[in-house]
Amino acid sequence: MFSIKEKVIKETIIKNSRFIVVLIPLKNNNIMQLRDELKEIYPKATHYCYAYIYGNEKASSDDGEPSRTAGSPMLNVLEKENLNNILAVTIRYFGGIKLGAGGLVRAYTKSLTEALKEATYQELIEAYKVKITFDYKEEKQIHYLLGDSPILEKNYSDKPYYIVQINKKEMEKFYSYSYEILEECYIKKDSI
């Protein structure tokens, strides 16, 4: 499983239409906010089609193009590339020549494929977002067991807890502690 390291913007001209693909690595599922920001950056475009995969969640939108001619082909490309935690938005400025359903599928597929050629891939591993509850005297041991695993939140109430991301293979270290798995996720291999 892979994601991309950083944002990529690639423009392709197909039969006078401009296809601007923006690839964004996702850290959370604020997809609509990111798409709306692109609408402000690229005003007056004809379509803002997108596809994303974030953990186990995936979706796509044709944004007014004929059904299954834009978002679905884009999602297929992301799946075939074994990508996750990624948003692909294709901004189209219509160039006056109709492409037909097959032509649209090819255009959206080609423009996304070209953008992905410019991306730097980052390997992802399966992980859990976990809430670990512990006694204050165990905090030093928890830090030792976590190693480089990212701590997303610390709470020092009566019963302190951390919300962390842990490689699935590392979960066995925490069986003697009280924990709750909040969600399955994918994290960058080099982040832990």
Side-chain angles (χ1 to χ4, degrees):
M1 186 74 53
F2 299 91
S3 189
I4 58 172
K5 284 190 175 183
E6 54 197 27
K7 185 177 184 177
V8 172
I9 301 171
K10 172 73 174 163
E11 182 174 334
T12 306
I13 306 291
I14 300 171
K15 294 194 176 179
N16 296 335
S17 284
R18 290 175 62 201
F19 291 85
I20 303 167
V21 176
V22 181
L23 302 173
I24 302 171
L26 294 174
K27 295 182 176 128
N28 53 48
N29 61 350
N30 60 338
I31 286 90
M32 294 304 112
Q33 177 187 342
L34 292 168
R35 189 211 51 201
D36 291 345
E37 288 171 8
L38 290 172
K39 284 184 174 184
E40 290 178 20
I41 296 169
Y42 299 95
K44 300 181 183 177
T46 315
H47 303 281
Y48 303 86
C49 304
Y50 68 86
Y52 72 88
I53 303 175
Y54 181 71
N56 295 322
E57 182 183 337
K58 55 183 150 184
S60 64
S61 169
D62 296 316
D63 191 40
E65 292 282 27
S67 180
R68 304 187 60 78
T69 61
S72 284
M74 292 169 60
L75 186 57
N76 288 338
V77 171
L78 297 179
E79 289 173 328
K80 285 179 183 173
E81 289 291 315
N82 201 22
L83 289 165
N84 205 309
N85 295 355
I86 185 169
L87 168 64
V89 179
T90 302
I91 300 138
R92 180 182 181 202
Y93 288 91
F94 180 62
I97 299 172
K98 292 189 177 186
L99 301 177
L104 286 170
V105 170
R106 287 187 294 278
Y108 280 97
T109 299
K110 178 182 178 180
S111 58
L112 177 53
T113 301
E114 291 299 314
L116 286 169
K117 287 178 183 176
E118 297 192 9
T120 304
Y121 283 35
Q122 168 71 54
E123 187 174 356
L124 299 176
I125 57 173
E126 291 181 294
Y128 291 118
K129 184 175 179 182
V130 180
K131 177 181 177 182
I132 300 174
T133 307
F134 54 91
D135 291 325
Y136 281 106
K137 64 183 178 186
E138 299 170 319
E139 184 175 22
K140 190 173 184 178
Q141 180 65 20
I142 292 291
H143 275 274
Y144 173 76
L145 293 174
L146 286 172
D148 293 331
S149 296
I151 299 172
L152 306 176
E153 181 183 331
K154 293 181 179 183
N155 185 303
Y156 292 104
S157 57
D158 291 339
K159 196 70 171 164
Y161 68 84
Y162 290 166
I163 295 180
V164 298
Q165 289 180 324
I166 301 173
N167 179 338
K168 280 187 176 183
K169 294 177 181 175
E170 302 290 320
M171 278 303 297
E172 62 199 38
K173 294 179 184 178
F174 297 93
Y175 287 141
S176 62
Y177 295 93
S178 174
Y179 68 87
E180 173 187 357
I181 295 175
L182 303 175
E183 67 182 41
E184 288 187 56
C185 57
Y186 292 93
I187 56 177
K188 293 177 183 177
K189 186 174 184 178
D190 63 1
S191 68
I192 60 171

